Amino acid sequence: MERALDAAGFLSEFYTTFWWIPAAVLATALAIKLPTIIRLWTDPLLRAVGGLLLLACAVFVFVAPSTIALVNRVTGVPNISAPWVYSLLTAFCGLCLLLIIAWRNGLSDRSAATRRARCWVVSVYSGVIVALWVLFALADAPVERLRDLDTYYARTPFMREMILLYLLAHTTAVLITFKLIRNWIRADGLDAWLRWGLKFLGLGYAMNLLFDAAKLTAVAARWTGHDLDWLNVDVAPPVACLSAVLIAVGFILPHAGQYLHERWRVRLAHRELRPLYLLMRSVNGEGIPVVLRASPELRLTRRETFIRDVLLPLARGIDEDVRRRSLDAALGLGYPPERARALASAVAILDAVDARLGPHGGERAGDRDTTELLREIGAVSRALRQPDAIRAVRLRAAARQDGVTAAE
């Protein structure tokens, strides 16, 4: 028991000192999503995510003891922060349910079951918020409590019902949301980022169940004349902090993960084209002019365009015999067909560059179809990063040519 109390005391001190951590995480999540929400304001799903993060952030701002004291002092009503915070938390629960329903079923789902579910959520949780304020108005709670209001007034008429109502509403929403998320995770065909986001959401809502269990146990203990206030004061708040962080990560991860993945893909494609770009720059004599503040997508497009513009006239004069012998050589060296084609094209392009930059430079005449080559510039550029492989293909192709010449 002493160890439990010591651990609870540590958590209490952590929460009192660092209560702003979940608020900061949620605010950061909102800041990350805000540009997308503004740009795609017509998307109701994005607006709902923004509203959810804003509500969650507001809950942790107003639940801080210093903010509770400030609101009570400004309004002149002791403990008015209680129904205010409980209302924010109830609205958050209802919005979570609506968002999960819309996220899972899609905004285009207008079935009777979906409409009934949405109407049920809106009506029930709006009614709960109204009931919270009515019960507080009927209650007599003159002593300001900054951290232990739930247990201090657990046996006070109307305050007792208000506390129980918000806890039951919260528990019900958490249970339903957790079940929906758990069933959704098991569905086939989910994007990897979405699946991980759902896992974090599920873990966050599981922590919320611990929060509710701690609160309800402490309140029920007061009803039976026992004192388990440390569950309410020392355990529930840090559990709520951790739950908020996990839920924020769960909502951010699918969007941020896909965004970062796409950015990484663009940067990787830009980097992979560097060997072929440098080769084409040696042919052209100059590269792409620098554009300040160009986006990664624009830099990739400009590099691809430059390579194709320089490669097009050069590729038309590629010696098809060189390319064919190089392909046979690459296949003979055991390379897979796709990589062998890229190596053969790289050798043929290098041969064309050498011919153009040599003492008898100039464009070779040719009418080769360059469509496939221009489409495969990424694979060719990757092949140019393997000088040893290109050297081996060239030597084997040259040996094959020497053998054919000798036989003739």
Side-chain angles (χ1 to χ4, degrees):
M1 184 64 177
E2 289 183 2
R3 290 183 179 179
L5 290 174
D6 290 342
F10 170 76
L11 291 174
S12 176
E13 182 179 354
F14 178 84
Y15 176 73
T16 303
T17 308
F18 300 106
W19 62 267
W20 44 264
I21 290 178
V25 171
L26 291 163
T28 302
L30 182 59
I32 291 173
K33 291 297 301 174
L34 195 57
T36 305
I37 294 171
I38 294 174
R39 189 172 66 253
L40 303 174
W41 181 251
T42 56
D43 187 340
L45 204 57
L46 280 174
R47 292 203 306 270
V49 171
L52 188 74
L53 293 174
L54 184 62
L55 264 178
C57 186
V59 168
F60 280 94
V61 169
F62 284 100
V63 83
S66 57
T67 311
I68 291 174
L70 177 63
V71 172
N72 293 340
R73 185 169 63 252
V74 169
T75 59
V77 180
N79 299 312
I80 198 173
S81 283
W84 171 242
V85 171
Y86 297 161
S87 297
L88 290 175
L89 188 59
T90 302
F92 173 79
C93 292
L95 190 54
C96 278
L97 282 173
L98 290 175
L99 184 59
I100 293 297
I101 292 171
W103 203 1
R104 182 180 182 183
N105 298 344
L107 294 172
S108 59
D109 184 8
R110 301 184 181 277
S111 64
T114 300
R115 287 200 305 271
R116 282 197 303 270
R118 291 172 179 165
C119 290
W120 180 86
V121 171
V122 172
S123 59
V124 168
Y125 281 85
S126 298
V128 169
I129 292 174
V130 172
L132 290 174
W133 285 98
V134 171
L135 289 169
F136 179 76
L138 295 173
D140 182 21
V143 180
E144 183 182 59
R145 309 303 299 182
L146 300 181
R147 296 191 58 199
D148 64 344
L149 182 139
D150 290 350
T151 47
Y152 186 87
Y153 287 109
R155 302 174 69 178
T156 302
F158 299 113
M159 287 294 288
R160 173 184 57 219
E161 286 77 13
M162 182 188 74
I163 293 165
L164 185 60
L165 179 61
Y166 102 84
L167 286 174
L168 290 179
H170 185 263
T171 304
T172 302
V174 170
L175 282 171
I176 295 173
T177 307
F178 180 76
K179 183 179 178 180
L180 290 174
I181 292 172
R182 187 185 61 181
N183 293 338
W184 194 4
I185 290 176
R186 297 172 179 174
D188 297 327
L190 290 183
D191 174 78
W193 290 108
L194 176 57
R195 191 178 297 276
W196 274 106
L198 290 173
K199 288 180 179 179
F200 275 98
L201 282 175
L203 189 56
Y205 281 103
M207 296 296 294
N208 256 328
L209 290 175
L210 292 179
F211 166 84
D212 292 323
K215 286 273 188 179
L216 286 169
T217 302
V219 170
R222 275 299 185 109
W223 293 343
T224 58
H226 297 84
D227 185 355
L228 292 178
D229 289 9
W230 60 275
L231 288 173
N232 174 49
V233 176
D234 300 329
V235 175
V239 169
C241 288
L242 181 57
S243 171
V245 172
L246 292 171
I247 290 174
V249 172
F251 278 117
I252 296 171
L253 197 58
H255 304 283
Q258 291 168 1
Y259 170 79
L260 293 175
H261 176 75
E262 181 62 22
R263 277 301 182 94
W264 172 252
R265 187 194 64 78
V266 170
R267 291 183 183 276
L268 184 62
H270 185 269
R271 180 177 176 274
E272 286 181 340
L273 288 176
R274 179 174 173 78
L276 187 56
Y277 165 72
L278 294 177
L279 182 62
M280 294 301 99
R281 192 172 68 177
S282 69
V283 174
N284 189 60
E286 58 183 9
I288 305 172
V290 177
V291 176
L292 298 177
R293 301 179 64 84
S295 66
E297 291 81 5
L298 178 59
R299 289 200 296 269
L300 175 61
T301 300
R302 296 180 75 233
R303 177 166 284 189
E304 289 174 339
T305 303
F306 175 82
I307 290 173
R308 291 190 173 100
D309 287 345
V310 179
L311 185 59
L312 181 61
L314 183 70
R316 286 173 179 161
I318 282 179
D319 189 332
E320 191 60 28
D321 289 336
V322 172
R323 194 200 66 80
R324 190 163 43 249
R325 289 196 308 271
S326 300
L327 178 59
D328 293 338
L331 291 172
L333 289 171
Y335 290 108
E338 184 176 349
R339 189 177 176 192
R341 284 194 298 270
L343 285 169
S345 297
V347 170
I349 291 173
L350 288 170
D351 180 73
V353 171
D354 292 341
R356 181 168 180 173
L357 299 180
H360 305 290
E363 293 186 6
R364 294 173 175 174
D367 57 354
R368 180 176 185 269
D369 184 6
T370 61
T371 303
E372 183 178 352
L373 179 61
L374 294 178
R375 189 169 56 242
E376 297 178 349
I377 58 175
V380 173
S381 187
R382 289 193 296 272
L384 290 172
R385 289 183 177 275
Q386 305 165 334
D388 293 339
I390 290 177
R391 190 179 302 110
V393 170
R394 271 183 151 175
L395 289 174
R396 189 179 180 91
R400 184 183 294 270
Q401 173 63 16
D402 292 341
V404 172
T405 302
E408 291 176 351

